Amino acid sequence: MASRDDMKLSILIRGATLIDGTKRPRVDADVGIDGDQIVFIGDASRLTADRVIDASGKILAPGFIDSHTHDDAALLLDPLMLAKVSQGVTSVVTGNCGVSTAPLADHAPRPMPLSLIASRELHGGASFPDFAGYLGALERSPASVNVIPMVGHTTLRVSAMDALDREARPDEVRAMQALLSEAMDAGAVGLSTGTYYPPAAAATTREIVEVCRPLAEKGGIYVTHMRDEADRCVESIEETLEIGRALGVPVVISHHKLAREQNFGRSLVTLPLIEAAMKCQCVGLDCYPYDASSTMLHQDEARLKGRVRIASSGSHPELVGHELADIAASWGVSLAEASKRLQPASAIYFSMDEADVQRILAFEQTMIGSDGLPSSEKPHPRLWGTFSRVLGRYCRELNLFPLETAIWKMTGLTARTFGIGRRGTIEVGNYADLVVFDAQTVGDRATYENPAQPSAGIETVIVNGEVTFARGVHIGRRAGRVLTRTR
Ligand code: ZN
Ligand code: CU
């Protein structure tokens, strides 16, 4: 074994204040990297390295893991992933809200919201009929961040069913199980549903449990954009818990929120419900730090109440950034009719209570996930600003939680929830996914008006031991890998 003095280091990060992703209090330490791994933590005053990064006065943390993304296609189309790297993210979980780019049959329709990540215009029309093909493409053309891939239930439905407005028949369930099994064998960590959305709204609890059998067999996680995040939120949480218990698998409630004014304050009910369930089964949740949501532009009047701002529109790109109510008024039509004319489109919905957002963020077990939509022309600012906003606004300015807790919610907790070993914490032998940032200045700059803005205060981002972002600039490295469950 090498003595400390002749230890070989490719990178030495000197003088940092280390927050290791476990919630342990910060310590001053140097961190040494060799190849793709952390090999030294301590006082490195007698060590040298090929490259030395001075991090004095700065925080060194595990690279952030974005627990909720729609980056499936962006990873291949825009592999530098600047929106993520520039806020300190080194890994992204894909395949959320029921939609994944694979496994998608060639003939399958691509209804919203699947079309956001798998339209025929993306990938030059190419689709990935099997999951292994998608992961192979990511390995041949790596992105700048690691990928933790999931399968979308809606993607399975459009591939295996000839009509989406009903429960799946037994033969269709078997076809979906086979697709999920193949995906799990290829490396998927789990499955997500999006029963809120029309293409999966007719799926029953029974259909979901049956389709998800391979998760129980092979050890996967069940993640859900629930049927209802408004009036029937409690029933939706109960359904999610029931699915987890029926399968004996961990569940994650995606972007937990209480939408619409009559539900404001109900996180006082849902969080204790979730907390109680955690005593009997494995439950996780994530949240983004904004009080507006963003998704496809709905077409039913009821879902268009309140302030709705157009984020993208295929038919009327000139109206991006305008409010739906103004557009409808100028055309002299109903909200639903205006929405129809703007399709295919996505929108930002100002529909949440800031007190709920803060209560959910502050809930100890809540992970941070951006839910950013990279395909929008004017995306929700969460795509660029989620992690730096939690660190700047919610941790430093509003003091919702200590910095150690904020970082744990973005790293150690997330790696543990998705079963990703040797990531999410800074320990000797772990992979060197790291971020150096300035705790005094870190913050989001992305706004609703001007969303594509890199964060303040993020200095260095290292992915698998490769410096990817330095002094606020992406240096072009694409060292990301496909990560799979290790336990
Ligand atoms: Zn969602
Ligand atoms: Cu989502």
Side-chain angles (χ1 to χ4, degrees):
M1 173 144 178
S3 82
R4 286 182 162 201
D5 291 357
D6 53 25
M7 188 174 248
K8 186 174 138 303
L9 297 177
S10 45
I11 300 174
L12 175 59
I13 304 169
R14 259 195 218 284
T17 297
L18 182 72
I19 297 186
D20 70 0
T22 66
K23 266 201 286 190
R24 264 198 295 267
R26 63 195 79 185
V27 292
D28 289 337
D30 307 319
V31 168
I33 298 168
D34 185 30
D36 60 1
Q37 287 180 36
I38 296 164
V39 296
F40 178 87
I41 302 171
D43 177 356
S45 48
R46 299 174 63 188
L47 296 181
T48 56
D50 299 340
R51 175 169 186 171
V52 176
I53 296 171
D54 175 19
S56 39
K58 306 288 155 50
I59 301 290
L60 173 63
F64 306 143
I65 304 172
D66 191 343
S67 63
H68 188 111
T69 84
H70 295 286
D71 290 335
D72 305 50
L75 289 159
L76 293 168
L77 296 169
D78 181 19
L80 295 181
M81 300 292 291
L82 183 62
K84 296 299 165 78
V85 170
S86 62
Q87 48 181 321
V89 169
T90 57
S91 300
V92 299
V93 179
T94 57
N96 280 287
C97 297
V99 293
S100 56
T101 295
L104 183 60
D106 272 322
H107 63 81
R110 276 108 161 125
M112 282 287 228
L114 177 58
S115 55
L116 293 172
I117 56 159
S119 82
R120 294 197 190 274
E121 293 78 61
L122 302 171
H123 316 299
S127 64
F128 297 102
D130 57 66
F131 211 75
Y134 171 65
L135 297 188
L138 280 171
E139 270 153 13
R140 279 190 307 280
S141 172
S144 291
V145 296
N146 300 308
V147 189
I148 302 169
M150 296 195 298
V151 179
H153 167 242
T154 297
T155 300
L156 301 183
R157 286 193 120 225
V158 298
S159 297
M161 297 175 70
D162 55 21
L164 300 172
D165 58 353
R166 57 171 172 79
E167 183 185 28
R169 293 187 309 256
D171 59 310
E172 292 164 336
V173 167
R174 281 193 297 278
M176 289 191 266
Q177 287 173 334
L179 288 169
L180 177 56
S181 271
E182 180 272 328
M184 301 282 301
D185 292 343
V189 302
L191 172 141
S192 79
T193 54
T195 42
Y196 169 74
Y197 293 107
T204 57
T205 308
R206 176 177 63 183
E207 171 186 323
I208 294 166
V209 169
E210 289 310 316
V211 169
C212 288
R213 294 283 175 206
L215 293 183
E217 269 163 50
K218 296 173 193 274
I221 188 166
Y222 174 76
V223 175
T224 180
H225 180 155
M226 302 188 299
R227 261 180 225 288
D228 195 317
E229 296 174 299
D231 301 356
R232 297 181 58 80
C233 193
V234 167
E235 291 85 339
S236 294
I237 292 171
E238 279 162 355
E239 182 191 25
T240 303
L241 298 173
E242 183 190 332
I243 291 167
R245 285 193 303 268
L247 291 162
V249 304
V251 301
V252 171
I253 295 168
S254 293
H255 42 61
H256 184 40
K257 66 170 85 70
L258 287 306
R260 301 202 198 133
E261 217 168 314
Q262 67 267 29
N263 300 302
F264 287 2
R266 287 183 71 200
S267 58
L268 287 168
V269 175
T270 59
L271 292 173
L273 177 67
I274 293 168
E275 193 168 23
M278 283 171 169
K279 300 202 169 79
C280 338
Q281 66 188 103
C282 234
V283 187
L285 70 161
D286 62 66
C287 179
Y288 50 80
Y290 296 87
D291 60 7
S293 63
S294 174
T295 185
M296 60 187 265
L297 179 60
H298 293 298
Q299 299 192 47
D300 51 315
E301 199 84 20
R303 285 180 174 179
L304 296 171
K305 295 270 181 276
R307 268 180 73 209
V308 178
R309 182 180 295 176
I310 305 307
S312 69
S313 167
S315 49
H316 289 280
E318 76 283 3
L319 294 176
V320 164
H322 291 245
E323 307 259 332
L324 179 66
D326 298 341
I327 296 169
S330 75
W331 288 346
V333 300
S334 69
L335 296 174
E337 176 58 29
S339 163
K340 273 191 196 77
R341 295 188 191 176
L342 289 160
Q343 300 291 335
S346 60
I348 293 166
Y349 298 83
F350 295 86
S351 60
M352 283 176 258
D353 178 23
E354 177 67 20
D356 280 323
V357 173
Q358 292 191 19
R359 206 176 288 121
I360 293 167
L361 279 175
F363 182 67
E364 193 71 8
Q365 307 290 329
T366 302
M367 298 179 284
I368 307 304
S370 71
D371 200 15
L373 291 175
S375 57
S376 307
E377 293 139 51
K378 206 160 192 173
H380 188 299
R382 66 195 183 189
L383 177 67
W384 288 77
T386 287
F387 290 82
S388 48
R389 184 171 168 88
V390 168
L391 297 172
R393 175 173 160 81
Y394 289 102
C395 180
R396 186 183 60 240
E397 291 169 18
L398 297 175
N399 221 344
L400 270 194
F401 29 61
L403 190 53
E404 284 82 351
T405 301
I407 287 174
W408 177 70
K409 286 167 168 288
M410 313 175 166
T411 59
L413 173 63
T414 317
R416 189 183 74 195
T417 302
F418 287 90
I420 304 300
R422 297 171 67 195
R423 310 256 178 193
T425 56
I426 298 180
E427 286 169 60
V428 168
N430 275 11
Y431 290 100
D433 292 342
L434 299 164
V435 55
V436 176
F437 67 90
D438 184 336
Q440 305 315 313
T441 61
V442 68
D444 59 312
R445 288 198 286 225
T447 62
Y448 292 100
E449 289 68 36
N450 208 352
Q453 297 297 321
S455 300
I458 303 290
E459 308 216 331
T460 305
V461 179
I462 297 174
V463 180
N464 291 309
E466 306 264 5
V467 175
T468 302
F469 190 81
R471 288 186 204 93
V473 176
H474 198 307
I475 58 173
R477 285 294 305 162
R478 290 163 55 184
R481 297 178 189 168
V482 174
L483 310 184
T484 57
R485 269 181 97 82
T486 46
R487 66 203 128 87

